[in-house]
Amino acid sequence: MSQSFRGRDFLTLRDFTPEELWHILETALIMKKEPRSSLLKGRTLGMIFCKSSTRTRVSFEAGILHLGGAPLYLNKQDIQLGRGETIADTARVLSRYLDGIMIRTHSHSEVEELGYWSTIPVINGLTDLFHPCQAMADYLTVYEHFGRIKGLKIAFIGDGNNVANSLMLGAAKFGADFVLACPKEYEPSEQVLQWAEEIAAQTGSSIEVVHDPKAAASGAHVLYTDVWTSMGQEAEQEKRIKDFAGYQINGKLLELADHNCIVMHCLPAHRGEEISEDVLEGPKSKVFDEAENRLHVQKAIMALIMQTENPVC
């Protein structure tokens, strides 16, 4: 296991080379075959949650236990961070007690600040801008199905949100062609789009944003979607349902994709909105493989960045 990851933060896929991201996937595949080890025996992961979670909490908690370590759940409302203590102070204090921090929060700047002040590795469990652990689980799922990632067409149908941003960066890093179809005013971050285009130019892939879901789905190897209304956007729900009408992944859209296409969704899903029930539960769906792979990828990330100089294998 490469020592070059030891002590590093995992905040965005942009921070890692394609070779490093492949090493994470390869490590995850090994851990999927051999789930239990002592790689992080005696090490503790603090898990800060500013937003509710099912997959992130359970997969990180189970994952650190599988590696011989221990999780410590820290709800923002139960610690001084929720009463105004600064991120800088929190980071420096937790660094004296723990061996790693996972945080699921709102603003990406909070994760960056936590990483700046912490002397232990910080993992981004979700922010408003990125969801890198989800994207790595998604690309592990794609690789398991196709045996490759480079040259595939990944079509994201829906909001240009944090999941789309991380998938777009991942596509560029792994050499896949990425097309995002969204209504106007729901395009991804211009800065992230620029980064992805720059990386894609180096890896020989392409990045495109369109407003026609049929054009995006045509010939796609992967059809991906996420909820139209994320946590914190509930007041916009009625407007978003109107704006995203026509952007549902359903049987008709699936017919336009490659015959070997797979369908992905990071969950939770709103059946009948961004994806139809028959497609979500159909034979093309890899939704629950993705959910499982969160566990394996995150174990690989923790084992690599939280490892000691002489890990116990």
Side-chain angles (χ1 to χ4, degrees), residues 155-161 164 178-188 209-213 216 224-228 240 243-244 246-249 253 274:
F156 186 98
I157 312 295
D159 192 7
N161 61 11
F178 183 86
V179 184
L180 188 154
C182 63
K184 292 181 179 178
E185 301 181 8
Y186 293 94
E187 290 88 356
V209 177
V210 301
H211 301 297
D212 181 358
Y224 198 115
T225 192
D226 188 10
V227 291
W228 294 339
R240 283 175 167 266
D243 291 346
F244 281 96
Y247 286 84
Q248 182 188 78
I249 293 183
L253 203 67
E274 75 276 2

PDB file of all heavy atoms in Angstrom, residues 155-161 164 178-188 209-213 216 224-228 240 243-244 246-249 253 274:
ATOM      1  N   ALA A 155     -23.405   9.923 -18.799  1.00  0.00           N
ATOM      2  CA  ALA A 155     -24.424  10.963 -18.978  1.00  0.00           C
ATOM      3  C   ALA A 155     -25.128  11.219 -17.653  1.00  0.00           C
ATOM      4  O   ALA A 155     -25.757  10.318 -17.092  1.00  0.00           O
ATOM      5  CB  ALA A 155     -25.436  10.539 -20.040  1.00  0.00           C
ATOM      6  N   PHE A 156     -24.986  12.429 -17.157  1.00  0.00           N
ATOM      7  CA  PHE A 156     -25.677  12.831 -15.921  1.00  0.00           C
ATOM      8  C   PHE A 156     -26.898  13.644 -16.330  1.00  0.00           C
ATOM      9  O   PHE A 156     -26.782  14.676 -16.990  1.00  0.00           O
ATOM     10  CB  PHE A 156     -24.741  13.658 -15.040  1.00  0.00           C
ATOM     11  CG  PHE A 156     -25.312  13.988 -13.688  1.00  0.00           C
ATOM     12  CD1 PHE A 156     -24.967  13.234 -12.572  1.00  0.00           C
ATOM     13  CD2 PHE A 156     -26.193  15.048 -13.523  1.00  0.00           C
ATOM     14  CE1 PHE A 156     -25.495  13.533 -11.320  1.00  0.00           C
ATOM     15  CE2 PHE A 156     -26.731  15.352 -12.282  1.00  0.00           C
ATOM     16  CZ  PHE A 156     -26.375  14.589 -11.171  1.00  0.00           C
ATOM     17  N   ILE A 157     -28.077  13.203 -15.890  1.00  0.00           N
ATOM     18  CA  ILE A 157     -29.333  13.869 -16.241  1.00  0.00           C
ATOM     19  C   ILE A 157     -29.893  14.517 -14.979  1.00  0.00           C
ATOM     20  O   ILE A 157     -30.323  13.813 -14.060  1.00  0.00           O
ATOM     21  CB  ILE A 157     -30.373  12.858 -16.796  1.00  0.00           C
ATOM     22  CG1 ILE A 157     -29.744  11.940 -17.864  1.00  0.00           C
ATOM     23  CG2 ILE A 157     -31.590  13.596 -17.339  1.00  0.00           C
ATOM     24  CD1 ILE A 157     -29.295  12.625 -19.123  1.00  0.00           C
ATOM     25  N   GLY A 158     -29.851  15.837 -14.900  1.00  0.00           N
ATOM     26  CA  GLY A 158     -30.404  16.485 -13.714  1.00  0.00           C
ATOM     27  C   GLY A 158     -29.637  17.718 -13.301  1.00  0.00           C
ATOM     28  O   GLY A 158     -28.999  18.384 -14.122  1.00  0.00           O
ATOM     29  N   ASP A 159     -29.674  17.991 -12.012  1.00  0.00           N
ATOM     30  CA  ASP A 159     -29.096  19.207 -11.443  1.00  0.00           C
ATOM     31  C   ASP A 159     -27.560  19.169 -11.482  1.00  0.00           C
ATOM     32  O   ASP A 159     -26.951  18.155 -11.117  1.00  0.00           O
ATOM     33  CB  ASP A 159     -29.583  19.329  -9.989  1.00  0.00           C
ATOM     34  CG  ASP A 159     -29.283  20.690  -9.389  1.00  0.00           C
ATOM     35  OD1 ASP A 159     -28.815  21.591 -10.127  1.00  0.00           O
ATOM     36  OD2 ASP A 159     -29.519  20.855  -8.185  1.00  0.00           O
ATOM     37  N   GLY A 160     -26.949  20.262 -11.867  1.00  0.00           N
ATOM     38  CA  GLY A 160     -25.478  20.346 -11.842  1.00  0.00           C
ATOM     39  C   GLY A 160     -24.977  20.590 -10.430  1.00  0.00           C
ATOM     40  O   GLY A 160     -24.397  21.637 -10.130  1.00  0.00           O
ATOM     41  N   ASN A 161     -25.173  19.624  -9.567  1.00  0.00           N
ATOM     42  CA  ASN A 161     -24.927  19.800  -8.134  1.00  0.00           C
ATOM     43  C   ASN A 161     -23.574  19.216  -7.715  1.00  0.00           C
ATOM     44  O   ASN A 161     -22.700  18.939  -8.540  1.00  0.00           O
ATOM     45  CB  ASN A 161     -26.075  19.161  -7.345  1.00  0.00           C
ATOM     46  CG  ASN A 161     -26.193  17.662  -7.606  1.00  0.00           C
ATOM     47  OD1 ASN A 161     -25.308  17.051  -8.218  1.00  0.00           O
ATOM     48  ND2 ASN A 161     -27.287  17.069  -7.157  1.00  0.00           N
ATOM     49  N   ALA A 164     -22.770  15.869  -9.326  1.00  0.00           N
ATOM     50  CA  ALA A 164     -22.381  16.070 -10.726  1.00  0.00           C
ATOM     51  C   ALA A 164     -20.970  16.641 -10.825  1.00  0.00           C
ATOM     52  O   ALA A 164     -20.182  16.235 -11.688  1.00  0.00           O
ATOM     53  CB  ALA A 164     -23.377  17.000 -11.408  1.00  0.00           C
ATOM     54  N   PHE A 178     -17.863  12.902 -20.493  1.00  0.00           N
ATOM     55  CA  PHE A 178     -18.931  13.251 -19.545  1.00  0.00           C
ATOM     56  C   PHE A 178     -19.856  14.279 -20.185  1.00  0.00           C
ATOM     57  O   PHE A 178     -19.410  15.302 -20.696  1.00  0.00           O
ATOM     58  CB  PHE A 178     -18.310  13.834 -18.273  1.00  0.00           C
ATOM     59  CG  PHE A 178     -19.313  14.160 -17.189  1.00  0.00           C
ATOM     60  CD1 PHE A 178     -19.714  13.175 -16.300  1.00  0.00           C
ATOM     61  CD2 PHE A 178     -19.840  15.437 -17.058  1.00  0.00           C
ATOM     62  CE1 PHE A 178     -20.632  13.458 -15.294  1.00  0.00           C
ATOM     63  CE2 PHE A 178     -20.757  15.737 -16.067  1.00  0.00           C
ATOM     64  CZ  PHE A 178     -21.146  14.737 -15.177  1.00  0.00           C
ATOM     65  N   VAL A 179     -21.158  13.978 -20.157  1.00  0.00           N
ATOM     66  CA  VAL A 179     -22.166  14.914 -20.661  1.00  0.00           C
ATOM     67  C   VAL A 179     -23.193  15.143 -19.565  1.00  0.00           C
ATOM     68  O   VAL A 179     -23.751  14.186 -19.023  1.00  0.00           O
ATOM     69  CB  VAL A 179     -22.882  14.374 -21.911  1.00  0.00           C
ATOM     70  CG1 VAL A 179     -23.860  15.430 -22.444  1.00  0.00           C
ATOM     71  CG2 VAL A 179     -21.890  14.004 -22.989  1.00  0.00           C
ATOM     72  N   LEU A 180     -23.428  16.393 -19.238  1.00  0.00           N
ATOM     73  CA  LEU A 180     -24.436  16.735 -18.230  1.00  0.00           C
ATOM     74  C   LEU A 180     -25.597  17.434 -18.929  1.00  0.00           C
ATOM     75  O   LEU A 180     -25.389  18.432 -19.625  1.00  0.00           O
ATOM     76  CB  LEU A 180     -23.829  17.646 -17.157  1.00  0.00           C
ATOM     77  CG  LEU A 180     -24.699  17.938 -15.919  1.00  0.00           C
ATOM     78  CD1 LEU A 180     -23.813  18.267 -14.728  1.00  0.00           C
ATOM     79  CD2 LEU A 180     -25.678  19.084 -16.160  1.00  0.00           C
ATOM     80  N   ALA A 181     -26.809  16.901 -18.755  1.00  0.00           N
ATOM     81  CA  ALA A 181     -28.006  17.525 -19.307  1.00  0.00           C
ATOM     82  C   ALA A 181     -28.829  18.110 -18.169  1.00  0.00           C
ATOM     83  O   ALA A 181     -29.253  17.386 -17.266  1.00  0.00           O
ATOM     84  CB  ALA A 181     -28.840  16.501 -20.081  1.00  0.00           C
ATOM     85  N   CYS A 182     -29.020  19.420 -18.192  1.00  0.00           N
ATOM     86  CA  CYS A 182     -29.759  20.093 -17.122  1.00  0.00           C
ATOM     87  C   CYS A 182     -30.562  21.245 -17.706  1.00  0.00           C
ATOM     88  O   CYS A 182     -30.247  21.752 -18.792  1.00  0.00           O
ATOM     89  CB  CYS A 182     -28.792  20.615 -16.060  1.00  0.00           C
ATOM     90  SG  CYS A 182     -27.656  21.878 -16.684  1.00  0.00           S
ATOM     91  N   PRO A 183     -31.597  21.706 -17.008  1.00  0.00           N
ATOM     92  CA  PRO A 183     -32.299  22.918 -17.444  1.00  0.00           C
ATOM     93  C   PRO A 183     -31.372  24.126 -17.296  1.00  0.00           C
ATOM     94  O   PRO A 183     -30.414  24.079 -16.522  1.00  0.00           O
ATOM     95  CB  PRO A 183     -33.478  23.014 -16.459  1.00  0.00           C
ATOM     96  CG  PRO A 183     -33.564  21.694 -15.791  1.00  0.00           C
ATOM     97  CD  PRO A 183     -32.193  21.122 -15.791  1.00  0.00           C
ATOM     98  N   LYS A 184     -31.687  25.181 -18.028  1.00  0.00           N
ATOM     99  CA  LYS A 184     -30.927  26.416 -17.841  1.00  0.00           C
ATOM    100  C   LYS A 184     -31.070  26.902 -16.399  1.00  0.00           C
ATOM    101  O   LYS A 184     -32.110  26.722 -15.777  1.00  0.00           O
ATOM    102  CB  LYS A 184     -31.398  27.481 -18.825  1.00  0.00           C
ATOM    103  CG  LYS A 184     -31.059  27.142 -20.274  1.00  0.00           C
ATOM    104  CD  LYS A 184     -31.521  28.218 -21.238  1.00  0.00           C
ATOM    105  CE  LYS A 184     -31.146  27.844 -22.665  1.00  0.00           C
ATOM    106  NZ  LYS A 184     -31.620  28.840 -23.657  1.00  0.00           N
ATOM    107  N   GLU A 185     -30.040  27.499 -15.884  1.00  0.00           N
ATOM    108  CA  GLU A 185     -29.942  27.985 -14.497  1.00  0.00           C
ATOM    109  C   GLU A 185     -29.568  26.879 -13.523  1.00  0.00           C
ATOM    110  O   GLU A 185     -29.445  27.133 -12.329  1.00  0.00           O
ATOM    111  CB  GLU A 185     -31.231  28.668 -14.024  1.00  0.00           C
ATOM    112  CG  GLU A 185     -31.642  29.858 -14.871  1.00  0.00           C
ATOM    113  CD  GLU A 185     -32.914  30.516 -14.354  1.00  0.00           C
ATOM    114  OE1 GLU A 185     -33.389  30.144 -13.255  1.00  0.00           O
ATOM    115  OE2 GLU A 185     -33.423  31.373 -15.069  1.00  0.00           O
ATOM    116  N   TYR A 186     -29.405  25.653 -14.015  1.00  0.00           N
ATOM    117  CA  TYR A 186     -28.994  24.562 -13.124  1.00  0.00           C
ATOM    118  C   TYR A 186     -27.668  23.950 -13.582  1.00  0.00           C
ATOM    119  O   TYR A 186     -27.388  22.779 -13.308  1.00  0.00           O
ATOM    120  CB  TYR A 186     -30.079  23.494 -13.057  1.00  0.00           C
ATOM    121  CG  TYR A 186     -31.353  23.977 -12.388  1.00  0.00           C
ATOM    122  CD1 TYR A 186     -32.401  24.496 -13.145  1.00  0.00           C
ATOM    123  CD2 TYR A 186     -31.487  23.953 -11.003  1.00  0.00           C
ATOM    124  CE1 TYR A 186     -33.571  24.961 -12.555  1.00  0.00           C
ATOM    125  CE2 TYR A 186     -32.648  24.413 -10.392  1.00  0.00           C
ATOM    126  CZ  TYR A 186     -33.685  24.914 -11.175  1.00  0.00           C
ATOM    127  OH  TYR A 186     -34.838  25.376 -10.555  1.00  0.00           O
ATOM    128  N   GLU A 187     -26.859  24.752 -14.284  1.00  0.00           N
ATOM    129  CA  GLU A 187     -25.568  24.257 -14.754  1.00  0.00           C
ATOM    130  C   GLU A 187     -24.614  24.056 -13.570  1.00  0.00           C
ATOM    131  O   GLU A 187     -24.789  24.665 -12.507  1.00  0.00           O
ATOM    132  CB  GLU A 187     -24.958  25.268 -15.748  1.00  0.00           C
ATOM    133  CG  GLU A 187     -25.675  25.338 -17.083  1.00  0.00           C
ATOM    134  CD  GLU A 187     -26.830  26.325 -17.095  1.00  0.00           C
ATOM    135  OE1 GLU A 187     -27.113  26.899 -16.021  1.00  0.00           O
ATOM    136  OE2 GLU A 187     -27.443  26.518 -18.150  1.00  0.00           O
ATOM    137  N   PRO A 188     -23.590  23.240 -13.759  1.00  0.00           N
ATOM    138  CA  PRO A 188     -22.611  23.024 -12.674  1.00  0.00           C
ATOM    139  C   PRO A 188     -21.760  24.266 -12.464  1.00  0.00           C
ATOM    140  O   PRO A 188     -21.776  25.206 -13.260  1.00  0.00           O
ATOM    141  CB  PRO A 188     -21.770  21.864 -13.208  1.00  0.00           C
ATOM    142  CG  PRO A 188     -21.884  21.952 -14.687  1.00  0.00           C
ATOM    143  CD  PRO A 188     -23.276  22.473 -14.964  1.00  0.00           C
ATOM    144  N   VAL A 209     -21.774  20.263 -21.416  1.00  0.00           N
ATOM    145  CA  VAL A 209     -23.026  20.585 -20.721  1.00  0.00           C
ATOM    146  C   VAL A 209     -24.070  20.928 -21.778  1.00  0.00           C
ATOM    147  O   VAL A 209     -23.832  21.798 -22.622  1.00  0.00           O
ATOM    148  CB  VAL A 209     -22.841  21.766 -19.743  1.00  0.00           C
ATOM    149  CG1 VAL A 209     -24.181  22.124 -19.088  1.00  0.00           C
ATOM    150  CG2 VAL A 209     -21.816  21.417 -18.671  1.00  0.00           C
ATOM    151  N   VAL A 210     -25.201  20.221 -21.758  1.00  0.00           N
ATOM    152  CA  VAL A 210     -26.266  20.443 -22.729  1.00  0.00           C
ATOM    153  C   VAL A 210     -27.586  20.609 -21.975  1.00  0.00           C
ATOM    154  O   VAL A 210     -27.648  20.428 -20.757  1.00  0.00           O
ATOM    155  CB  VAL A 210     -26.369  19.257 -23.720  1.00  0.00           C
ATOM    156  CG1 VAL A 210     -25.065  19.056 -24.470  1.00  0.00           C
ATOM    157  CG2 VAL A 210     -26.750  17.973 -22.980  1.00  0.00           C
ATOM    158  N   HIS A 211     -28.630  20.955 -22.720  1.00  0.00           N
ATOM    159  CA  HIS A 211     -29.952  21.102 -22.102  1.00  0.00           C
ATOM    160  C   HIS A 211     -30.952  20.074 -22.648  1.00  0.00           C
ATOM    161  O   HIS A 211     -32.130  20.124 -22.300  1.00  0.00           O
ATOM    162  CB  HIS A 211     -30.463  22.532 -22.322  1.00  0.00           C
ATOM    163  CG  HIS A 211     -29.549  23.571 -21.740  1.00  0.00           C
ATOM    164  ND1 HIS A 211     -29.282  23.660 -20.390  1.00  0.00           N
ATOM    165  CD2 HIS A 211     -28.795  24.529 -22.331  1.00  0.00           C
ATOM    166  CE1 HIS A 211     -28.431  24.648 -20.170  1.00  0.00           C
ATOM    167  NE2 HIS A 211     -28.101  25.183 -21.332  1.00  0.00           N
ATOM    168  N   ASP A 212     -30.477  19.175 -23.486  1.00  0.00           N
ATOM    169  CA  ASP A 212     -31.339  18.149 -24.083  1.00  0.00           C
ATOM    170  C   ASP A 212     -30.981  16.781 -23.490  1.00  0.00           C
ATOM    171  O   ASP A 212     -29.929  16.222 -23.805  1.00  0.00           O
ATOM    172  CB  ASP A 212     -31.140  18.136 -25.594  1.00  0.00           C
ATOM    173  CG  ASP A 212     -32.024  17.094 -26.282  1.00  0.00           C
ATOM    174  OD1 ASP A 212     -32.755  16.358 -25.577  1.00  0.00           O
ATOM    175  OD2 ASP A 212     -31.966  17.011 -27.523  1.00  0.00           O
ATOM    176  N   PRO A 213     -31.837  16.221 -22.630  1.00  0.00           N
ATOM    177  CA  PRO A 213     -31.506  14.924 -22.021  1.00  0.00           C
ATOM    178  C   PRO A 213     -31.380  13.796 -23.040  1.00  0.00           C
ATOM    179  O   PRO A 213     -30.603  12.855 -22.833  1.00  0.00           O
ATOM    180  CB  PRO A 213     -32.664  14.685 -21.046  1.00  0.00           C
ATOM    181  CG  PRO A 213     -33.753  15.596 -21.489  1.00  0.00           C
ATOM    182  CD  PRO A 213     -33.109  16.770 -22.134  1.00  0.00           C
ATOM    183  N   ALA A 216     -27.889  13.838 -24.454  1.00  0.00           N
ATOM    184  CA  ALA A 216     -26.931  13.329 -23.463  1.00  0.00           C
ATOM    185  C   ALA A 216     -27.018  11.806 -23.363  1.00  0.00           C
ATOM    186  O   ALA A 216     -25.997  11.115 -23.267  1.00  0.00           O
ATOM    187  CB  ALA A 216     -27.192  13.967 -22.108  1.00  0.00           C
ATOM    188  N   TYR A 224     -26.922   8.533 -15.230  1.00  0.00           N
ATOM    189  CA  TYR A 224     -26.816   8.840 -13.796  1.00  0.00           C
ATOM    190  C   TYR A 224     -27.759   9.984 -13.469  1.00  0.00           C
ATOM    191  O   TYR A 224     -27.906  10.933 -14.243  1.00  0.00           O
ATOM    192  CB  TYR A 224     -25.372   9.265 -13.481  1.00  0.00           C
ATOM    193  CG  TYR A 224     -24.996   9.195 -12.015  1.00  0.00           C
ATOM    194  CD1 TYR A 224     -24.030   8.309 -11.582  1.00  0.00           C
ATOM    195  CD2 TYR A 224     -25.593  10.023 -11.062  1.00  0.00           C
ATOM    196  CE1 TYR A 224     -23.662   8.233 -10.229  1.00  0.00           C
ATOM    197  CE2 TYR A 224     -25.241   9.952  -9.723  1.00  0.00           C
ATOM    198  CZ  TYR A 224     -24.280   9.059  -9.310  1.00  0.00           C
ATOM    199  OH  TYR A 224     -23.931   8.991  -7.977  1.00  0.00           O
ATOM    200  N   THR A 225     -28.390   9.922 -12.318  1.00  0.00           N
ATOM    201  CA  THR A 225     -29.202  11.042 -11.858  1.00  0.00           C
ATOM    202  C   THR A 225     -29.166  11.160 -10.344  1.00  0.00           C
ATOM    203  O   THR A 225     -28.666  10.276  -9.633  1.00  0.00           O
ATOM    204  CB  THR A 225     -30.659  10.922 -12.345  1.00  0.00           C
ATOM    205  OG1 THR A 225     -31.340  12.165 -12.105  1.00  0.00           O
ATOM    206  CG2 THR A 225     -31.392   9.782 -11.641  1.00  0.00           C
ATOM    207  N   ASP A 226     -29.672  12.265  -9.859  1.00  0.00           N
ATOM    208  CA  ASP A 226     -29.756  12.552  -8.425  1.00  0.00           C
ATOM    209  C   ASP A 226     -31.078  13.278  -8.204  1.00  0.00           C
ATOM    210  O   ASP A 226     -31.731  13.706  -9.164  1.00  0.00           O
ATOM    211  CB  ASP A 226     -28.553  13.430  -8.008  1.00  0.00           C
ATOM    212  CG  ASP A 226     -28.457  13.607  -6.493  1.00  0.00           C
ATOM    213  OD1 ASP A 226     -29.189  12.914  -5.760  1.00  0.00           O
ATOM    214  OD2 ASP A 226     -27.650  14.449  -6.061  1.00  0.00           O
ATOM    215  N   VAL A 227     -31.466  13.442  -6.959  1.00  0.00           N
ATOM    216  CA  VAL A 227     -32.735  14.117  -6.665  1.00  0.00           C
ATOM    217  C   VAL A 227     -32.732  15.539  -7.238  1.00  0.00           C
ATOM    218  O   VAL A 227     -31.686  16.173  -7.353  1.00  0.00           O
ATOM    219  CB  VAL A 227     -33.012  14.176  -5.145  1.00  0.00           C
ATOM    220  CG1 VAL A 227     -33.296  12.793  -4.605  1.00  0.00           C
ATOM    221  CG2 VAL A 227     -31.851  14.830  -4.401  1.00  0.00           C
ATOM    222  N   TRP A 228     -33.895  16.010  -7.595  1.00  0.00           N
ATOM    223  CA  TRP A 228     -34.010  17.379  -8.113  1.00  0.00           C
ATOM    224  C   TRP A 228     -33.943  18.409  -6.983  1.00  0.00           C
ATOM    225  O   TRP A 228     -33.566  19.555  -7.201  1.00  0.00           O
ATOM    226  CB  TRP A 228     -35.336  17.534  -8.866  1.00  0.00           C
ATOM    227  CG  TRP A 228     -35.421  16.705 -10.123  1.00  0.00           C
ATOM    228  CD1 TRP A 228     -34.358  16.200 -10.837  1.00  0.00           C
ATOM    229  CD2 TRP A 228     -36.606  16.307 -10.816  1.00  0.00           C
ATOM    230  NE1 TRP A 228     -34.824  15.507 -11.925  1.00  0.00           N
ATOM    231  CE2 TRP A 228     -36.200  15.559 -11.948  1.00  0.00           C
ATOM    232  CE3 TRP A 228     -37.968  16.517 -10.596  1.00  0.00           C
ATOM    233  CZ2 TRP A 228     -37.102  15.021 -12.846  1.00  0.00           C
ATOM    234  CZ3 TRP A 228     -38.873  15.977 -11.498  1.00  0.00           C
ATOM    235  CH2 TRP A 228     -38.446  15.236 -12.608  1.00  0.00           C
ATOM    236  N   ARG A 240     -38.650  23.507  -8.677  1.00  0.00           N
ATOM    237  CA  ARG A 240     -37.714  22.549  -9.256  1.00  0.00           C
ATOM    238  C   ARG A 240     -38.435  21.414  -9.983  1.00  0.00           C
ATOM    239  O   ARG A 240     -37.993  20.968 -11.039  1.00  0.00           O
ATOM    240  CB  ARG A 240     -36.791  21.985  -8.158  1.00  0.00           C
ATOM    241  CG  ARG A 240     -35.700  22.960  -7.754  1.00  0.00           C
ATOM    242  CD  ARG A 240     -34.869  22.472  -6.593  1.00  0.00           C
ATOM    243  NE  ARG A 240     -33.671  23.292  -6.459  1.00  0.00           N
ATOM    244  CZ  ARG A 240     -32.490  23.001  -6.994  1.00  0.00           C
ATOM    245  NH1 ARG A 240     -32.342  21.879  -7.664  1.00  0.00           N
ATOM    246  NH2 ARG A 240     -31.453  23.809  -6.846  1.00  0.00           N
ATOM    247  N   ASP A 243     -39.287  22.860 -13.262  1.00  0.00           N
ATOM    248  CA  ASP A 243     -38.106  23.127 -14.093  1.00  0.00           C
ATOM    249  C   ASP A 243     -37.479  21.847 -14.639  1.00  0.00           C
ATOM    250  O   ASP A 243     -36.911  21.841 -15.735  1.00  0.00           O
ATOM    251  CB  ASP A 243     -37.059  23.907 -13.277  1.00  0.00           C
ATOM    252  CG  ASP A 243     -37.499  25.328 -12.978  1.00  0.00           C
ATOM    253  OD1 ASP A 243     -38.472  25.796 -13.609  1.00  0.00           O
ATOM    254  OD2 ASP A 243     -36.882  25.971 -12.100  1.00  0.00           O
ATOM    255  N   PHE A 244     -37.537  20.759 -13.850  1.00  0.00           N
ATOM    256  CA  PHE A 244     -36.870  19.517 -14.259  1.00  0.00           C
ATOM    257  C   PHE A 244     -37.803  18.549 -14.994  1.00  0.00           C
ATOM    258  O   PHE A 244     -37.396  17.428 -15.311  1.00  0.00           O
ATOM    259  CB  PHE A 244     -36.255  18.815 -13.034  1.00  0.00           C
ATOM    260  CG  PHE A 244     -34.953  19.433 -12.595  1.00  0.00           C
ATOM    261  CD1 PHE A 244     -34.910  20.378 -11.592  1.00  0.00           C
ATOM    262  CD2 PHE A 244     -33.758  19.077 -13.211  1.00  0.00           C
ATOM    263  CE1 PHE A 244     -33.724  20.963 -11.191  1.00  0.00           C
ATOM    264  CE2 PHE A 244     -32.556  19.650 -12.827  1.00  0.00           C
ATOM    265  CZ  PHE A 244     -32.534  20.601 -11.820  1.00  0.00           C
ATOM    266  N   GLY A 246     -39.246  16.506 -17.748  1.00  0.00           N
ATOM    267  CA  GLY A 246     -38.578  16.095 -18.996  1.00  0.00           C
ATOM    268  C   GLY A 246     -37.161  15.606 -18.771  1.00  0.00           C
ATOM    269  O   GLY A 246     -36.511  15.134 -19.712  1.00  0.00           O
ATOM    270  N   TYR A 247     -36.673  15.719 -17.535  1.00  0.00           N
ATOM    271  CA  TYR A 247     -35.300  15.270 -17.232  1.00  0.00           C
ATOM    272  C   TYR A 247     -35.306  13.969 -16.419  1.00  0.00           C
ATOM    273  O   TYR A 247     -34.366  13.679 -15.706  1.00  0.00           O
ATOM    274  CB  TYR A 247     -34.545  16.367 -16.471  1.00  0.00           C
ATOM    275  CG  TYR A 247     -34.145  17.515 -17.383  1.00  0.00           C
ATOM    276  CD1 TYR A 247     -35.045  18.534 -17.673  1.00  0.00           C
ATOM    277  CD2 TYR A 247     -32.880  17.558 -17.963  1.00  0.00           C
ATOM    278  CE1 TYR A 247     -34.697  19.580 -18.520  1.00  0.00           C
ATOM    279  CE2 TYR A 247     -32.522  18.599 -18.812  1.00  0.00           C
ATOM    280  CZ  TYR A 247     -33.434  19.609 -19.088  1.00  0.00           C
ATOM    281  OH  TYR A 247     -33.078  20.640 -19.925  1.00  0.00           O
ATOM    282  N   GLN A 248     -36.357  13.207 -16.527  1.00  0.00           N
ATOM    283  CA  GLN A 248     -36.452  11.936 -15.787  1.00  0.00           C
ATOM    284  C   GLN A 248     -35.741  10.816 -16.559  1.00  0.00           C
ATOM    285  O   GLN A 248     -35.902  10.694 -17.783  1.00  0.00           O
ATOM    286  CB  GLN A 248     -37.918  11.558 -15.590  1.00  0.00           C
ATOM    287  CG  GLN A 248     -38.107  10.286 -14.786  1.00  0.00           C
ATOM    288  CD  GLN A 248     -39.561   9.823 -14.779  1.00  0.00           C
ATOM    289  OE1 GLN A 248     -40.057   9.240 -15.734  1.00  0.00           O
ATOM    290  NE2 GLN A 248     -40.247  10.133 -13.682  1.00  0.00           N
ATOM    291  N   ILE A 249     -35.003   9.981 -15.857  1.00  0.00           N
ATOM    292  CA  ILE A 249     -34.491   8.750 -16.465  1.00  0.00           C
ATOM    293  C   ILE A 249     -35.616   7.704 -16.398  1.00  0.00           C
ATOM    294  O   ILE A 249     -36.037   7.300 -15.320  1.00  0.00           O
ATOM    295  CB  ILE A 249     -33.223   8.248 -15.744  1.00  0.00           C
ATOM    296  CG1 ILE A 249     -32.064   9.228 -15.956  1.00  0.00           C
ATOM    297  CG2 ILE A 249     -32.844   6.861 -16.265  1.00  0.00           C
ATOM    298  CD1 ILE A 249     -30.751   8.786 -15.334  1.00  0.00           C
ATOM    299  N   LEU A 253     -35.934   7.053 -22.224  1.00  0.00           N
ATOM    300  CA  LEU A 253     -34.567   7.601 -22.268  1.00  0.00           C
ATOM    301  C   LEU A 253     -33.550   6.467 -22.317  1.00  0.00           C
ATOM    302  O   LEU A 253     -32.528   6.554 -23.008  1.00  0.00           O
ATOM    303  CB  LEU A 253     -34.323   8.490 -21.043  1.00  0.00           C
ATOM    304  CG  LEU A 253     -33.216   9.542 -21.201  1.00  0.00           C
ATOM    305  CD1 LEU A 253     -33.610  10.593 -22.228  1.00  0.00           C
ATOM    306  CD2 LEU A 253     -32.926  10.219 -19.864  1.00  0.00           C
ATOM    307  N   GLU A 274     -37.045  12.116 -10.551  1.00  0.00           N
ATOM    308  CA  GLU A 274     -35.836  12.064 -11.393  1.00  0.00           C
ATOM    309  C   GLU A 274     -35.617  10.700 -12.048  1.00  0.00           C
ATOM    310  O   GLU A 274     -34.847  10.589 -13.011  1.00  0.00           O
ATOM    311  CB  GLU A 274     -34.599  12.466 -10.582  1.00  0.00           C
ATOM    312  CG  GLU A 274     -34.088  11.429  -9.594  1.00  0.00           C
ATOM    313  CD  GLU A 274     -34.819  11.464  -8.260  1.00  0.00           C
ATOM    314  OE1 GLU A 274     -35.741  12.280  -8.129  1.00  0.00           O
ATOM    315  OE2 GLU A 274     -34.447  10.680  -7.353  1.00  0.00           O
TER     316      GLU A 274
END
